[in-house]
mmCIF file of all heavy atoms in Angstrom:
data_model
loop_
_atom_site.group_PDB
_atom_site.id
_atom_site.type_symbol
_atom_site.label_atom_id
_atom_site.label_comp_id
_atom_site.label_asym_id
_atom_site.label_seq_id
_atom_site.Cartn_x
_atom_site.Cartn_y
_atom_site.Cartn_z
ATOM 1 N N ALA A 1 325.398 -88.574 95.534
ATOM 2 C CA ALA A 1 325.243 -88.255 94.166
ATOM 3 C C ALA A 1 323.953 -87.397 94.051
ATOM 4 O O ALA A 1 323.317 -87.101 95.030
ATOM 5 C CB ALA A 1 325.021 -89.608 93.284
ATOM 6 N N THR A 2 323.535 -87.076 92.799
ATOM 7 C CA THR A 2 322.375 -86.286 92.676
ATOM 8 C C THR A 2 321.071 -87.018 93.025
ATOM 9 O O THR A 2 320.290 -86.566 93.874
ATOM 10 C CB THR A 2 322.203 -85.817 91.124
ATOM 11 O OG1 THR A 2 323.385 -85.037 90.797
ATOM 12 C CG2 THR A 2 321.034 -84.913 91.037
ATOM 13 N N PHE A 3 320.997 -88.344 92.479
ATOM 14 C CA PHE A 3 319.749 -89.087 92.640
ATOM 15 C C PHE A 3 320.015 -90.421 93.281
ATOM 16 O O PHE A 3 321.052 -91.081 93.161
ATOM 17 C CB PHE A 3 318.978 -89.322 91.301
ATOM 18 C CG PHE A 3 318.523 -88.038 90.710
ATOM 19 C CD1 PHE A 3 319.223 -87.558 89.563
ATOM 20 C CD2 PHE A 3 317.389 -87.372 91.122
ATOM 21 C CE1 PHE A 3 318.710 -86.450 88.940
ATOM 22 C CE2 PHE A 3 317.002 -86.196 90.573
ATOM 23 C CZ PHE A 3 317.683 -85.749 89.392
ATOM 24 N N ASN A 4 318.992 -91.000 94.021
ATOM 25 C CA ASN A 4 318.910 -92.391 94.339
ATOM 26 C C ASN A 4 318.763 -93.195 93.037
ATOM 27 O O ASN A 4 317.868 -92.725 92.238
ATOM 28 C CB ASN A 4 317.856 -92.693 95.294
ATOM 29 C CG ASN A 4 318.182 -92.281 96.756
ATOM 30 O OD1 ASN A 4 319.330 -91.940 97.075
ATOM 31 N ND2 ASN A 4 317.245 -92.218 97.536
ATOM 32 N N GLU A 5 319.561 -94.192 92.784
ATOM 33 C CA GLU A 5 319.561 -94.848 91.488
ATOM 34 C C GLU A 5 319.171 -96.315 91.695
ATOM 35 O O GLU A 5 319.912 -97.071 92.266
ATOM 36 C CB GLU A 5 320.904 -94.673 90.735
ATOM 37 C CG GLU A 5 321.347 -93.294 90.463
ATOM 38 C CD GLU A 5 322.675 -93.173 90.060
ATOM 39 O OE1 GLU A 5 323.118 -93.771 89.031
ATOM 40 O OE2 GLU A 5 323.505 -92.361 90.689
ATOM 41 N N ASP A 6 318.008 -96.720 91.191
ATOM 42 C CA ASP A 6 317.410 -97.974 91.436
ATOM 43 C C ASP A 6 318.035 -99.173 90.730
ATOM 44 O O ASP A 6 317.736 -100.328 90.988
ATOM 45 C CB ASP A 6 315.916 -98.005 91.286
ATOM 46 C CG ASP A 6 315.464 -97.814 89.900
ATOM 47 O OD1 ASP A 6 316.322 -97.500 89.079
ATOM 48 O OD2 ASP A 6 314.237 -98.103 89.582
ATOM 49 N N LEU A 7 318.888 -98.914 89.703
ATOM 50 C CA LEU A 7 319.458 -100.017 88.925
ATOM 51 C C LEU A 7 320.919 -100.425 89.548
ATOM 52 O O LEU A 7 321.550 -101.331 89.015
ATOM 53 C CB LEU A 7 319.635 -99.638 87.504
ATOM 54 C CG LEU A 7 318.360 -99.461 86.682
ATOM 55 C CD1 LEU A 7 318.511 -99.132 85.266
ATOM 56 C CD2 LEU A 7 317.388 -100.630 86.917
ATOM 57 N N LYS A 8 321.328 -99.786 90.582
ATOM 58 C CA LYS A 8 322.506 -100.152 91.282
ATOM 59 C C LYS A 8 322.153 -101.326 92.183
ATOM 60 O O LYS A 8 321.039 -101.761 92.388
ATOM 61 C CB LYS A 8 323.069 -98.972 92.066
ATOM 62 C CG LYS A 8 323.634 -97.887 91.208
ATOM 63 C CD LYS A 8 324.423 -96.866 92.005
ATOM 64 C CE LYS A 8 325.285 -95.932 91.066
ATOM 65 N NZ LYS A 8 326.159 -95.131 91.899
ATOM 66 N N ALA A 9 323.211 -101.863 92.715
ATOM 67 C CA ALA A 9 323.092 -102.969 93.675
ATOM 68 C C ALA A 9 322.159 -102.598 94.843
ATOM 69 O O ALA A 9 322.264 -101.482 95.304
ATOM 70 C CB ALA A 9 324.463 -103.419 94.111
ATOM 71 N N GLU A 10 321.330 -103.536 95.262
ATOM 72 C CA GLU A 10 320.462 -103.207 96.323
ATOM 73 C C GLU A 10 321.255 -102.916 97.543
ATOM 74 O O GLU A 10 322.373 -103.426 97.864
ATOM 75 C CB GLU A 10 319.536 -104.439 96.582
ATOM 76 C CG GLU A 10 318.478 -104.673 95.523
ATOM 77 C CD GLU A 10 317.547 -105.758 95.902
ATOM 78 O OE1 GLU A 10 317.510 -106.190 97.082
ATOM 79 O OE2 GLU A 10 316.784 -106.190 94.962
ATOM 80 N N GLY A 11 320.607 -101.994 98.387
ATOM 81 C CA GLY A 11 321.237 -101.716 99.657
ATOM 82 C C GLY A 11 321.725 -100.211 99.596
ATOM 83 O O GLY A 11 321.112 -99.358 98.983
ATOM 84 N N ILE A 12 322.928 -100.020 100.262
ATOM 85 C CA ILE A 12 323.394 -98.622 100.320
ATOM 86 C C ILE A 12 323.656 -97.989 98.922
ATOM 87 O O ILE A 12 323.469 -96.781 98.726
ATOM 88 C CB ILE A 12 324.716 -98.572 101.124
ATOM 89 C CG1 ILE A 12 325.782 -99.373 100.524
ATOM 90 C CG2 ILE A 12 324.369 -98.951 102.577
ATOM 91 C CD1 ILE A 12 327.188 -99.218 101.116
ATOM 92 N N GLU A 13 324.064 -98.770 97.915
ATOM 93 C CA GLU A 13 324.406 -98.210 96.622
ATOM 94 C C GLU A 13 323.315 -97.546 95.969
ATOM 95 O O GLU A 13 323.548 -96.646 95.155
ATOM 96 C CB GLU A 13 324.938 -99.320 95.710
ATOM 97 C CG GLU A 13 326.291 -99.972 96.171
ATOM 98 C CD GLU A 13 327.438 -98.951 96.079
ATOM 99 O OE1 GLU A 13 327.410 -98.010 95.261
ATOM 100 O OE2 GLU A 13 328.464 -99.075 96.879
ATOM 101 N N GLN A 14 322.095 -97.934 96.324
ATOM 102 C CA GLN A 14 320.975 -97.320 95.737
ATOM 103 C C GLN A 14 320.532 -95.979 96.456
ATOM 104 O O GLN A 14 319.571 -95.223 96.070
ATOM 105 C CB GLN A 14 319.682 -98.154 95.697
ATOM 106 C CG GLN A 14 319.876 -99.422 94.827
ATOM 107 C CD GLN A 14 318.627 -100.289 94.838
ATOM 108 O OE1 GLN A 14 317.743 -100.146 95.651
ATOM 109 N NE2 GLN A 14 318.606 -101.228 93.862
ATOM 110 N N ASN A 15 321.219 -95.611 97.532
ATOM 111 C CA ASN A 15 320.712 -94.673 98.443
ATOM 112 C C ASN A 15 321.759 -93.510 98.859
ATOM 113 O O ASN A 15 321.800 -93.031 99.956
ATOM 114 C CB ASN A 15 320.269 -95.305 99.741
ATOM 115 C CG ASN A 15 319.047 -96.161 99.506
ATOM 116 O OD1 ASN A 15 317.929 -95.664 99.423
ATOM 117 N ND2 ASN A 15 319.233 -97.456 99.511
ATOM 118 N N PHE A 16 322.606 -93.134 97.849
ATOM 119 C CA PHE A 16 323.540 -92.052 98.037
ATOM 120 C C PHE A 16 323.028 -90.690 97.569
ATOM 121 O O PHE A 16 323.625 -89.619 97.746
ATOM 122 C CB PHE A 16 324.862 -92.354 97.278
ATOM 123 C CG PHE A 16 325.768 -93.138 98.125
ATOM 124 C CD1 PHE A 16 325.855 -94.533 98.058
ATOM 125 C CD2 PHE A 16 326.627 -92.496 98.992
ATOM 126 C CE1 PHE A 16 326.728 -95.305 98.782
ATOM 127 C CE2 PHE A 16 327.574 -93.277 99.805
ATOM 128 C CZ PHE A 16 327.636 -94.695 99.647
ATOM 129 N N GLY A 17 321.782 -90.706 96.953
ATOM 130 C CA GLY A 17 321.325 -89.489 96.381
ATOM 131 C C GLY A 17 320.851 -88.467 97.339
ATOM 132 O O GLY A 17 320.423 -88.707 98.404
ATOM 133 N N LEU A 18 321.020 -87.164 96.865
ATOM 134 C CA LEU A 18 320.364 -85.975 97.613
ATOM 135 C C LEU A 18 318.938 -85.879 97.302
ATOM 136 O O LEU A 18 318.217 -85.192 98.044
ATOM 137 C CB LEU A 18 321.131 -84.723 97.251
ATOM 138 C CG LEU A 18 322.735 -84.673 97.524
ATOM 139 C CD1 LEU A 18 323.188 -83.220 97.285
ATOM 140 C CD2 LEU A 18 323.097 -85.173 98.906
ATOM 141 N N PHE A 19 318.525 -86.388 96.109
ATOM 142 C CA PHE A 19 317.208 -86.347 95.665
ATOM 143 C C PHE A 19 316.622 -87.706 95.276
ATOM 144 O O PHE A 19 317.400 -88.576 94.850
ATOM 145 C CB PHE A 19 317.154 -85.435 94.401
ATOM 146 C CG PHE A 19 317.554 -84.019 94.636
ATOM 147 C CD1 PHE A 19 318.836 -83.535 94.493
ATOM 148 C CD2 PHE A 19 316.573 -83.084 95.132
ATOM 149 C CE1 PHE A 19 319.219 -82.286 94.809
ATOM 150 C CE2 PHE A 19 316.954 -81.745 95.355
ATOM 151 C CZ PHE A 19 318.281 -81.368 95.246
ATOM 152 N N PHE A 20 315.263 -87.814 95.421
ATOM 153 C CA PHE A 20 314.599 -88.867 94.891
ATOM 154 C C PHE A 20 314.405 -88.740 93.486
ATOM 155 O O PHE A 20 314.582 -87.516 92.883
ATOM 156 C CB PHE A 20 313.248 -89.113 95.533
ATOM 157 C CG PHE A 20 313.290 -89.478 97.041
ATOM 158 C CD1 PHE A 20 313.035 -88.565 98.005
ATOM 159 C CD2 PHE A 20 313.680 -90.770 97.353
ATOM 160 C CE1 PHE A 20 313.090 -88.889 99.308
ATOM 161 C CE2 PHE A 20 313.760 -91.105 98.714
ATOM 162 C CZ PHE A 20 313.482 -90.202 99.692
ATOM 163 N N PRO A 21 314.069 -89.727 92.568
ATOM 164 C CA PRO A 21 313.881 -89.491 91.103
ATOM 165 C C PRO A 21 312.783 -88.462 90.766
ATOM 166 O O PRO A 21 312.766 -87.863 89.694
ATOM 167 C CB PRO A 21 313.513 -90.913 90.653
ATOM 168 C CG PRO A 21 314.210 -91.837 91.537
ATOM 169 C CD PRO A 21 314.117 -91.148 92.990
ATOM 170 N N ASN A 22 311.827 -88.231 91.820
ATOM 171 C CA ASN A 22 310.815 -87.242 91.458
ATOM 172 C C ASN A 22 311.357 -85.807 91.830
ATOM 173 O O ASN A 22 310.518 -84.884 91.750
ATOM 174 C CB ASN A 22 309.496 -87.553 92.259
ATOM 175 C CG ASN A 22 309.696 -87.449 93.697
ATOM 176 O OD1 ASN A 22 310.707 -87.113 94.295
ATOM 177 N ND2 ASN A 22 308.547 -87.696 94.411
ATOM 178 N N GLN A 23 312.604 -85.675 92.139
ATOM 179 C CA GLN A 23 313.246 -84.413 92.428
ATOM 180 C C GLN A 23 312.975 -83.942 93.818
ATOM 181 O O GLN A 23 313.326 -82.796 94.173
ATOM 182 C CB GLN A 23 312.965 -83.308 91.357
ATOM 183 C CG GLN A 23 313.464 -83.787 89.973
ATOM 184 C CD GLN A 23 313.257 -82.713 88.922
ATOM 185 O OE1 GLN A 23 313.664 -81.577 89.201
ATOM 186 N NE2 GLN A 23 312.568 -83.045 87.859
ATOM 187 N N ALA A 24 312.189 -84.625 94.643
ATOM 188 C CA ALA A 24 312.024 -84.274 96.037
ATOM 189 C C ALA A 24 313.319 -84.531 96.798
ATOM 190 O O ALA A 24 314.041 -85.581 96.523
ATOM 191 C CB ALA A 24 310.877 -85.094 96.645
ATOM 192 N N GLN A 25 313.660 -83.708 97.679
ATOM 193 C CA GLN A 25 314.914 -83.882 98.466
ATOM 194 C C GLN A 25 314.811 -85.135 99.446
ATOM 195 O O GLN A 25 313.796 -85.326 100.041
ATOM 196 C CB GLN A 25 315.303 -82.603 99.181
ATOM 197 C CG GLN A 25 314.234 -82.123 100.213
ATOM 198 C CD GLN A 25 314.650 -80.868 100.851
ATOM 199 O OE1 GLN A 25 315.806 -80.544 100.960
ATOM 200 N NE2 GLN A 25 313.653 -80.175 101.454
ATOM 201 N N VAL A 26 315.883 -85.816 99.506
ATOM 202 C CA VAL A 26 316.005 -86.927 100.515
ATOM 203 C C VAL A 26 316.107 -86.297 101.840
ATOM 204 O O VAL A 26 315.601 -86.748 102.850
ATOM 205 C CB VAL A 26 317.093 -87.805 100.161
ATOM 206 C CG1 VAL A 26 317.290 -88.947 101.201
ATOM 207 C CG2 VAL A 26 316.903 -88.473 98.750
ATOM 208 N N TYR A 27 316.964 -85.235 101.970
ATOM 209 C CA TYR A 27 317.211 -84.502 103.200
ATOM 210 C C TYR A 27 317.696 -83.131 102.722
ATOM 211 O O TYR A 27 318.299 -83.006 101.661
ATOM 212 C CB TYR A 27 318.175 -85.178 104.119
ATOM 213 C CG TYR A 27 319.501 -85.581 103.454
ATOM 214 C CD1 TYR A 27 320.567 -84.645 103.369
ATOM 215 C CD2 TYR A 27 319.707 -86.825 102.894
ATOM 216 C CE1 TYR A 27 321.758 -84.970 102.738
ATOM 217 C CE2 TYR A 27 320.898 -87.177 102.283
ATOM 218 C CZ TYR A 27 321.931 -86.271 102.211
ATOM 219 O OH TYR A 27 323.075 -86.574 101.693
ATOM 220 N N PRO A 28 317.485 -82.044 103.521
ATOM 221 C CA PRO A 28 317.893 -80.769 103.148
ATOM 222 C C PRO A 28 319.423 -80.533 103.248
ATOM 223 O O PRO A 28 320.150 -81.079 104.161
ATOM 224 C CB PRO A 28 317.235 -79.821 104.129
ATOM 225 C CG PRO A 28 316.969 -80.719 105.379
ATOM 226 C CD PRO A 28 316.751 -82.079 104.871
ATOM 227 N N VAL A 29 319.944 -79.770 102.246
ATOM 228 C CA VAL A 29 321.421 -79.476 102.281
ATOM 229 C C VAL A 29 321.509 -77.877 102.134
ATOM 230 O O VAL A 29 320.902 -77.258 101.170
ATOM 231 C CB VAL A 29 322.105 -80.163 101.061
ATOM 232 C CG1 VAL A 29 323.551 -79.746 101.010
ATOM 233 C CG2 VAL A 29 321.986 -81.645 101.152
#
């Protein structure tokens, strides 16, 4: 998804984002 979303279930569901909420990339694409 676009962002990691912290209100989802803890674990992998919070970590599908390409970007952190501050718009920094989680990894380059």
Side-chain angles (χ1 to χ4, degrees):
T2 303
F3 297 107
N4 284 345
E5 300 171 53
D6 67 346
L7 295 183
K8 288 194 167 186
E10 290 187 10
I12 61 166
E13 292 296 334
Q14 294 183 348
N15 292 285
F16 274 92
L18 304 187
F19 296 91
F20 294 107
N22 68 357
Q23 300 183 52
Q25 58 182 339
V26 177
Y27 52 86
V29 178

